[in-house]
Amino acid sequence: MSDNALKPVPAHVAIIMDGNGRWAKAKGLERSAGHFEGVNAVHRITEAASHLGVKYLTLYAFSTENWNRPQEEVDALLNLISFALERETPGLIANNARLEIIGDIDRMPEEAQQRLRRSMAATAHGTGLTVVVAFSYSSRWEITRACREIARKAAAGEIDPETITDETVSQHLATASYPDPDLLIRTGGDMRLSNFLLWQVAYAEIFVTDTYWPDFSVDEFKSAIDNFRCRERRFGRTSEQINHSL
Ligand code: IPE
Ligand code: IPE
Ligand code: MG
């Protein structure tokens, strides 16, 4: 067995679940059919992540910018998140998983917010995988909010501006209680971040696949993880430094 095979699975995997619309279009279906099929992919990948020993799985489900889609599609996505939470919560509990949410959920209809709170409360005691759903989320929204909060504390004399470090910033983000992602996966082939976890992915390994999200299989998820396990993460150092410290 090579050394590479011994590298651990990523503790935190973040996924930009893209390509639902193109998946549907290729099949002559409505975009909403792609989103619906996307929920089945969420189910299998969440289960696989849990079995593989991943500790955190962050799923980009709806961005701040996605509010600008046609109202009909936004409504379909809002209905779908409630449906998915209803259907998937018992399985999360059975897998000892915990559900959390990051994003500006005040923009969601009250009913969907309540559904979310119920699912979070029902899974709060899970000690296995933490599934973090990013909904109505964007990194710039989150970083701006953090700046506002830090500035408020500085103005109130609770924080000395000279003592602000990158850790202070991390602690004011919606992701404060999670480690940074080790592996970022994007399906649908586009090579961009689309306002997702810009601060947190500073040193994430990136894996982009052309596969549309509804077709993303457990096998491909495992190969993304195997690929991650073969990479050398240098964090700015040299390869020699990394290998000497082993
Ligand atoms: C991702 O699929 C899901 C959301 C953004 C809500 P898309 O709906 O963006 O699918 P494509 O990129 O148009 O194929
Ligand atoms: C990113 O996908 C957001 C989600 C997957 C939820 P988009 O389809 O919205 O990204 P862009 O607009 O193509 O960059
Ligand atoms: Mg897209």
Side-chain angles (χ1 to χ4, degrees):
M1 198 186 266
S2 77
D3 280 356
N4 286 337
L6 299 174
K7 286 186 189 166
V9 297
H12 185 170
V13 179
I15 308 184
I16 301 175
M17 307 183 291
D18 198 20
N20 296 351
R22 281 164 286 167
W23 179 90
K25 194 173 175 193
K27 293 191 151 36
L29 303 170
E30 298 285 323
R31 292 178 62 83
S32 57
H35 297 315
F36 185 83
E37 196 52 38
V39 178
N40 293 331
V42 168
H43 177 94
R44 64 176 174 266
I45 298 305
T46 303
E47 211 165 69
S50 181
H51 292 153
L52 288 165
V54 171
K55 295 299 294 173
Y56 298 88
L57 180 69
T58 300
L59 301 172
Y60 203 11
F62 189 91
S63 71
T64 302
E65 289 74 19
N66 289 150
W67 286 112
N68 298 322
R69 290 197 176 186
Q71 193 58 44
E72 198 184 291
E73 184 167 347
V74 170
D75 290 343
L77 286 163
L78 287 168
N79 286 333
L80 192 59
I81 179 106
S82 293
F83 161 83
L85 288 166
E86 192 82 44
R87 194 182 81 175
E88 300 299 329
T89 302
L92 291 173
I93 297 169
N95 276 318
N96 192 28
R98 180 170 57 140
L99 179 85
E100 305 217 326
I101 186 99
I102 52 171
D104 188 4
I105 65 160
D106 291 348
R107 289 184 72 173
M108 295 170 83
E110 188 51 39
E111 210 183 302
Q113 289 186 37
Q114 278 175 14
R115 181 60 261 183
L116 260 174
R117 285 194 205 97
R118 279 206 299 280
S119 291
M120 286 194 284
T123 62
H125 301 296
T127 54
L129 175 71
T130 298
V131 181
V132 183
V133 175
F135 200 98
S136 186
Y137 171 88
S138 78
S139 208
R140 287 184 176 182
W141 162 79
E142 175 190 46
I143 292 171
T144 305
R145 195 182 65 152
C147 289
R148 207 179 292 129
E149 185 58 20
I150 294 168
R152 200 179 289 129
K153 288 183 184 171
E158 292 164 27
I159 288 184
D160 172 1
E162 298 310 317
T163 65
I164 293 172
T165 61
D166 60 357
E167 193 50 34
T168 316
V169 177
S170 293
Q171 286 308 315
H172 286 81
L173 298 176
T175 52
S177 51
Y178 321 127
D180 286 342
D182 302 291
L183 172 63
L184 172 70
I185 298 173
R186 183 170 188 143
T187 60
D190 285 318
M191 300 276 186
R192 56 176 173 261
L193 292 172
S194 303
N195 218 348
F196 186 50
L197 302 176
L198 303 180
W199 173 276
Q200 298 89 333
V201 299
Y203 268 106
E205 297 297 324
I206 299 174
F207 181 94
V208 178
T209 170
D210 286 338
T211 305
Y212 297 141
W213 175 248
D215 283 334
F216 192 63
S217 65
V218 170
D219 277 350
E220 195 170 8
F221 183 56
K222 285 183 181 162
S223 49
I225 288 182
D226 285 345
N227 179 293
F228 168 88
R229 296 177 79 184
C230 292
R231 297 201 196 174
E232 181 181 62
R233 304 183 80 190
R234 290 189 290 278
F235 299 99
R237 293 171 182 259
T238 66
S239 193
E240 288 70 23
Q241 284 178 299
I242 302 298
N243 291 315
H244 273 111
S245 65
L246 281 179

